[in-house]
Amino acid sequence: MTRLQVTVLGATGSIGLSTLDVVSRHADRYSLFAVTAFSRMTELEALCLTHRPQFAVVADEAQAGALQVRLAEAGLATRVLFGDGGLCEVAAHPEVDVVMAAIVGAAGLRPTLSAVQAGKRVLLANKEALVMSGALFMQALEQSSAVLLPIDSEHNAIFQCLPSDYARGMAEVGVRRILLTASGGPFRQTPLAELAQVTPEQACAHPNWSMGRKISVDSASMMNKGLELIEACWLFGARPEQVEVVVHPQSVIHSMVDYVDGSVLAQLGNPDMRTPIAHALAWPERIDSGVSALDLLRIGQLDFQAPDEERFPCLRLARQAAQVGGTAPAMLNAANEVAVEAFLQRRIRFTEIASIIADVLEREAARTAGCLEDVLMADQQARRLAGEWLGRHGR
Ligand code: NAD
Ligand code: MG
């Protein structure tokens, strides 16, 4: 069997490392073509020594030069590229078959779109890219031979529970609703009055999943679920009101599809991202992911609750942005990225993340997102407005 060539964008991250773990379990099927990272050069160098990719991509020219020298000294032929140009090159390279899009945030948009336009099998973890540019992204997908497979555990679950012809439309394939499950994060039961005092360390201590810091804060504020709601609308052709968020603290059911005949299909598994990664790598086949078998008897009980929007105003803001459409989701995403970074730097309180986003969305009306420039301009404008908020109120 010829081995598929895999590019991992964001290889040093939580999803990137899980992807390398699954890929290296199947050396007969996959070969690592390129790895990329923005920081943590020592980790990237170690990944190159282990996996011997053809390319590595870093943030800037100075980093690239230094890494190139070290890899050459170690006897590796890996070529080091840098910047957006380097990322897009390894995402769209003619020799590449599969691209794992696991850069965090808006920075992943261009390389992910490049992979789509080049007709790759695109494994989408970088939900922010789709949230920002949903219509354009789906249009690019239609115009290319790319295959998009969702890595977000919820969307991967929904994909597994939908019929193969779901692109005909939700009503046409008999789907009534999508039930998007959420763990509720570390602050599900924290007294409301204490939320203003929580620290970045507490926010990043997720009860069920081990993830990067940005998505961990998003999970704590439930903005992650808001972004996922928008992601589900684009991936599966659903309207926002057809996606219902269900809090399920055990994170065993990864999401469900409710059909008109009353059947509800669910995908279950241990909370380990290697399951959706292995699913998307091998689809429509199944391969070992290294994840242990689900022990329902040990888990014993599965609970469900309605989300509390007073506690989690970010969820309401995201649903509103989904309904407004145009550049609103891109602005929501950009304001959130600035706010989360400020919270991680202890410049604002946890509860001010939602205040910043609400302020940005109030001050700047959404426009139509007709081309990528519209989206990038909205992103920049929202970052500027969020920066102004920080100038007025931040520490
Ligand atoms: P992470 O912070 O652990 O890793 C991010 C990766 O992106 C790193 O390799 C980093 O070097 C790279 N990166 C960061 N900023 C960059 C920039 N400006 N330019 C180029 N590269 C940059 O994040 P993660 O938890 O692995 O999440 C990655 C993506 O996957 C996010 O979009 C997240 O929402 C999504 N996702 C993650 C999980 C999870 O379990 N971790 C689950 C579902 C979805
Ligand atoms: Mg998810």
Side-chain angles (χ1 to χ4, degrees), residues 127 152-155 215 224-225 228:
K127 64 192 89 184
D152 223 333
S153 56
E154 296 77 4
H155 304 75
I215 185 178
N224 184 49
K225 214 46 57 181
E228 290 184 356

Side-chain angles (χ1 to χ4, degrees), residues 10 12-15 38 102-103 107 125-128 152 211-212 215 273:
T12 50
S14 161
I15 293 287
F38 194 66
I103 289 173
N126 180 208
K127 64 192 89 184
E128 296 93 344
D152 223 333
M211 310 180 285
I215 185 178
M273 291 307 291

Side-chain angles (χ1 to χ4, degrees), residues 216-224 312-315 336 350 353:
S216 295
V217 176
D218 284 349
S219 299
S221 69
M222 280 193 86
M223 177 54 91
N224 184 49
F312 299 115
C314 286
L315 189 55
N336 181 56
F350 179 72
I353 294 174

Side-chain angles (χ1 to χ4, degrees), residues 298-314:
R298 188 186 54 77
I299 293 160
Q301 187 179 333
L302 300 178
D303 296 309
F304 305 98
Q305 295 159 1
D308 174 350
E309 288 196 356
E310 187 194 347
R311 177 180 292 274
F312 299 115
C314 286

